[in-house]
């Protein structure tokens, strides 16, 4: 059983930065993909960023060049550095771990507003 706990969300002004963190517990395999997704009410959950076990990354079109995903397998953490935030980045952000059939965190709210 894998548990994921996100932290770092909050309110930030447009143009600002936030760093999200996800701490995993349980049996974690470094070869599994990890990622971040986000969701706003009434819309489907969408990809923000994903990193494979080999370190390859893929980003959602709207966040490319602004967000950076990283992972620390030894510490069992996944992070998302978000720069130049825009109001349309407002959403609940979910951490994802691809091992064991897929696991999700509970989500953390990010609000970008002046």
């Amino acid at each position: 059983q894998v548990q994921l706990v996100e932290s770092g969300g909050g309110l930030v002004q447009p143009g600002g930065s936030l760093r999200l963190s996800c701490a995993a517990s349980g049996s974690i395999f470094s070869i599994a993909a990890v990622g971040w997704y986000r969701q706003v009410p009434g819309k489907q959950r969408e990809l923000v960023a994903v990193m494979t076990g080999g370190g390859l990354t893929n980003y959602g079109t709207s966040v490319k060049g602004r967000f950076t995903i990283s992972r620390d397998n030894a510490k069992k953490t996944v992070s998302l550095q978000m720069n130049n935030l825009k109001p349309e980045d407002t959403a609940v952000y979910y951490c994802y771990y691809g091992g064991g059939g897929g696991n999700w965190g509970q989500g953390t709210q990010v609000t970008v507003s002046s």
Side-chain angles (χ1 to χ4, degrees):
Q1 186 80 16
V2 174
Q3 290 188 325
L4 304 171
V5 179
E6 301 100 334
S7 61
L11 173 65
V12 64
Q13 292 187 342
S17 297
L18 278 177
R19 185 177 181 86
L20 304 183
S21 294
C22 175
S25 61
S27 298
I28 304 296
F29 299 98
S30 61
I31 62 172
V34 294
W36 291 91
Y37 289 73
R38 66 187 183 188
Q39 189 170 23
V40 297
K43 293 189 176 181
Q44 288 189 331
R45 194 169 294 188
E46 67 172 2
L47 169 72
V48 176
V50 65
M51 177 179 281
T52 68
L56 297 177
T57 58
N58 188 35
Y59 293 90
T61 302
S62 63
V63 307
K64 283 182 180 178
R66 300 187 297 122
F67 292 11
T68 303
I69 187 173
S70 60
R71 68 190 290 174
D72 186 328
N73 293 326
K75 295 182 178 179
K76 298 183 181 181
T77 59
V78 182
S79 298
L80 183 70
Q81 178 66 41
M82 305 186 293
N83 298 327
N84 190 22
L85 283 159
K86 304 176 181 181
E88 51 264 40
D89 294 319
T90 297
V92 177
Y93 284 70
Y94 296 91
C95 178
Y96 172 79
Y97 168 68
N103 299 266
W104 295 93
Q106 82 288 351
T108 185
Q109 176 71 46
V110 171
T111 302
V112 184
S113 175
S114 56

